[in-house]
Amino acid sequence: KQEVTQIPAALSVPEGENLVLNCSFTDSAIYNLQWFRQDPGKGLTSLLLIQSSQREQTSGRLNASLDKSSGRSTLYIAASQPGDSATYLCAVKGSTLGRLYFGRGTQLTVWP
Amino acid sequence: EAQVTQNPRYLITVTGKKLTVTCSQNMNHEYMSWYRQDPGLGLRQIYYSMNVEVTDKGDVPEGYKVSRKEKRNFPLILESPSPNQTSLYFCASSLSVGGGYTFGSGTRLTVV
């Protein structure tokens, strides 16, 4: 069974820092990997989707990389802002059609 | 607007009283899925569907039923709810095996 781990579990940084959030998975046979953001008590907002054949995706201040062979992805947040405070979730779409496996998330706090 | 719509957003019910949480998507997506989110356990997949009349179990299917009679709808049925099914529930859909998932806003269920 696919296991997804996110490190660190929580992160608190001052505004302006560049951040790296880590996600690792045990089975490299994946279709894609998706990063989400979740605000407290809210739904999941998709940030970036990386297909298994891709190495990275970028959207604004966010950059996600994927190393499928080593089972790792990183989410890089440039010049963090207080509005970036949320929980960031990594999800892997596995080789079994329809299955999606989540990490437990990194809770990010950016203070002014 | 392309979206996944869940209803109701909040529900308090009593043990044993059958309930249905509805989920509808307007994006003609093939894949639909239900998750529950619990503190310390993260998001876990309950059931998923790859197309009309095609469903399969996720990690925590016990106590739940689903059906996919139409492409756009994927209701979650709790025949006899118990307090351990108190949770935050999310429905999600994806266009294809390579597509990313779009999530609904969530249903907070309390069983007393």
Side-chain angles (χ1 to χ4, degrees), chain A residues 27-40:
Chain A
D27 184 351
S28 62
I30 66 169
Y31 278 101
N32 58 44
L33 184 145
Q34 195 168 0
W35 283 94
F36 293 91
R37 168 191 171 130
Q38 185 178 27
D39 294 290

Side-chain angles (χ1 to χ4, degrees), chain A residues 1 31-32 34 36 38 41-46 49 51 89 93-94 96-104, chain B residues 31 35 37 40-43 45 48 50 57-59 88 90 94 96-101 103-105 108:
Chain A
K1 180 190 167 187
Y31 278 101
N32 58 44
Q34 195 168 0
F36 293 91
Q38 185 178 27
K42 304 289 187 181
L44 279 70
T45 300
S46 180
L49 172 69
Q51 300 297 338
L89 295 160
K93 185 178 279 189
T96 302
L97 297 180
R99 296 290 271 126
L100 189 66
Y101 301 92
F102 279 87
R104 296 191 180 182
Chain B
Y31 292 84
Y35 302 84
Q37 186 175 35
L41 296 175
L43 278 144
Q45 196 168 30
Y48 62 97
M50 292 166 281
K57 297 176 182 179
D59 295 314
L88 180 58
F90 288 103
S94 173
S96 65
V97 65
Y101 273 90
F103 276 73
S105 299
R108 187 167 292 280

Side-chain angles (χ1 to χ4, degrees), chain A residues 22-69:
Chain A
N22 296 293
C23 171
S24 62
F25 47 96
T26 54
D27 184 351
S28 62
I30 66 169
Y31 278 101
N32 58 44
L33 184 145
Q34 195 168 0
W35 283 94
F36 293 91
R37 168 191 171 130
Q38 185 178 27
D39 294 290
K42 304 289 187 181
L44 279 70
T45 300
S46 180
L47 298 174
L48 289 164
L49 172 69
I50 312 177
Q51 300 297 338
S52 61
S53 58
Q54 297 176 321
R55 296 286 292 183
E56 65 178 308
Q57 283 286 340
T58 298
S59 176
R61 295 182 294 109
L62 304 179
N63 175 276
S65 67
L66 174 64
D67 184 343
K68 198 175 75 161
S69 61

Side-chain angles (χ1 to χ4, degrees), chain B residues 52-78:
Chain B
V52 174
E53 303 292 2
V54 182
T55 63
D56 207 346
K57 297 176 182 179
D59 295 314
V60 288
E62 296 78 17
Y64 304 94
K65 284 177 57 177
V66 294
S67 67
R68 186 99 181 268
K69 294 184 170 57
E70 304 168 282
K71 197 172 187 178
R72 63 183 291 124
N73 295 322
F74 191 45
L76 180 69
I77 303 159
L78 285 72

Side-chain angles (χ1 to χ4, degrees), chain B residues 1-108:
Chain B
E1 180 188 355
Q3 59 186 355
V4 177
T5 303
Q6 292 178 232
N7 280 298
R9 290 294 309 278
Y10 301 92
L11 178 60
I12 300 175
T13 190
V14 297
T15 299
K17 185 177 181 181
K18 180 179 178 180
L19 66 91
T20 299
V21 184
T22 64
C23 174
S24 179
Q25 50 90 8
N26 62 0
M27 298 168 281
N28 201 37
H29 282 179
E30 299 281 342
Y31 292 84
M32 296 187 74
S33 190
W34 277 102
Y35 302 84
R36 61 178 289 173
Q37 186 175 35
D38 302 289
L41 296 175
L43 278 144
R44 294 177 292 170
Q45 196 168 30
I46 304 171
Y47 270 98
Y48 62 97
S49 170
M50 292 166 281
N51 212 326
V52 174
E53 303 292 2
V54 182
T55 63
D56 207 346
K57 297 176 182 179
D59 295 314
V60 288
E62 296 78 17
Y64 304 94
K65 284 177 57 177
V66 294
S67 67
R68 186 99 181 268
K69 294 184 170 57
E70 304 168 282
K71 197 172 187 178
R72 63 183 291 124
N73 295 322
F74 191 45
L76 180 69
I77 303 159
L78 285 72
E79 294 269 2
S80 182
S82 63
N84 65 12
Q85 293 178 298
T86 292
S87 187
L88 180 58
Y89 290 86
F90 288 103
C91 179
S93 70
S94 173
L95 176 63
S96 65
V97 65
Y101 273 90
T102 300
F103 276 73
S105 299
T107 296
R108 187 167 292 280

